[in-house]
Amino acid sequence: MAVGRSAALKVDWAKISTSLGLKGQTAASLQAFKKRNDDARRKLQMLSEQAQEVNFQHYRSILKNQSVVDEIETHFKDFKPATYDVGRQIKAIEAFEGQAIRNAEITKGKVDEELRDLEKTLRNIETARPFEDLTVDEVAAARPDIDERTAQLVSKGRWHVPGYKEKFGDLSLL
């Protein structure tokens, strides 16, 4: 039991949250578990500091009615603490652990997917040619909607792109 207590004291809760990148419900569940753990540890510490022995001689010397002290002493000696089935609590802890593992796996899947997307984007950026080196055919192949829009404007007899003169000015004077 002492090994379990010393290991529990060495848990760095902040490092767990940050190193695993926990967010949302998983982080909230971990914080709630930490709070329950701290409360239980605090209560255990308070109870272990209390006196566990009863000095019946002291009460015999104070009280006139010795039979009351004798009766209480016999009840005290005959007392056997009740044992409880902690199976329900263990099942609740296992359910919490299972839910935390499922949430962690979901989070891991989302993070892995995002990393794959970012790596793909990075490869595209690294292998992309400069804009100046692209040809019209390559741009049209990459964005077929540009050719469609151009064909639509030409079919309607519009040779000027709407908003071009406002944005770039009229270059016909050059």
Side-chain angles (χ1 to χ4, degrees):
M1 186 71 176
V3 172
R5 268 192 238 135
S6 67
L9 291 173
K10 293 179 183 177
V11 172
D12 186 1
W13 296 99
K15 186 175 181 183
I16 289 174
S17 295
T18 56
S19 67
L20 297 177
L22 301 179
K23 294 179 182 163
Q25 184 181 4
T26 307
S29 296
L30 182 65
Q31 285 299 101
F33 180 77
K34 178 188 178 300
K35 183 181 181 307
R36 289 193 309 270
N37 181 20
D38 290 343
D39 291 344
R41 184 177 291 128
R42 201 174 305 110
K43 191 171 186 178
L44 176 67
Q45 182 66 27
M46 284 179 13
L47 291 174
S48 66
E49 290 174 357
Q50 292 179 356
Q52 298 175 359
E53 303 253 341
V54 179
N55 185 358
F56 290 103
Q57 289 300 336
H58 170 72
Y59 292 108
R60 281 191 183 96
S61 65
I62 295 174
L63 299 173
K64 292 181 183 178
N65 190 350
Q66 300 293 313
S67 64
V68 171
V69 176
D70 292 337
E71 186 178 336
I72 292 173
E73 184 175 14
T74 56
H75 285 297
F76 181 78
K77 288 182 180 177
D78 292 340
F79 175 75
K80 299 284 186 232
T83 57
Y84 292 100
D85 181 21
V86 294
R88 207 170 68 197
Q89 286 85 0
I90 290 174
K91 286 180 185 177
I93 291 170
E94 288 172 350
F96 172 79
E97 182 181 80
Q99 182 65 34
I101 288 172
R102 282 191 294 279
N103 288 343
E105 288 172 352
I106 290 170
T107 303
K108 181 185 179 293
K110 289 178 182 178
V111 168
D112 288 344
E113 183 179 333
E114 190 173 330
L115 282 174
R116 283 191 297 274
D117 289 345
L118 289 173
E119 287 173 359
K120 182 180 174 185
T121 303
L122 184 61
R123 279 194 303 274
N124 286 343
I125 290 171
E126 289 172 345
T127 59
R129 292 191 323 206
F131 185 75
E132 300 84 34
D133 294 346
L134 293 177
T135 64
V136 172
D137 293 333
E138 291 171 337
V139 173
R143 296 281 311 270
D145 60 313
I146 294 174
D147 269 348
E148 293 170 10
R149 178 73 173 143
T150 306
Q152 180 186 26
L153 290 173
V154 169
S155 70
K156 292 181 180 178
R158 294 186 187 155
W159 298 98
H160 300 287
V161 178
Y164 184 86
K165 286 186 180 180
E166 290 82 11
K167 189 170 185 179
F168 299 106
D170 192 2
L171 301 178
S172 62
L173 299 176
L174 297 176

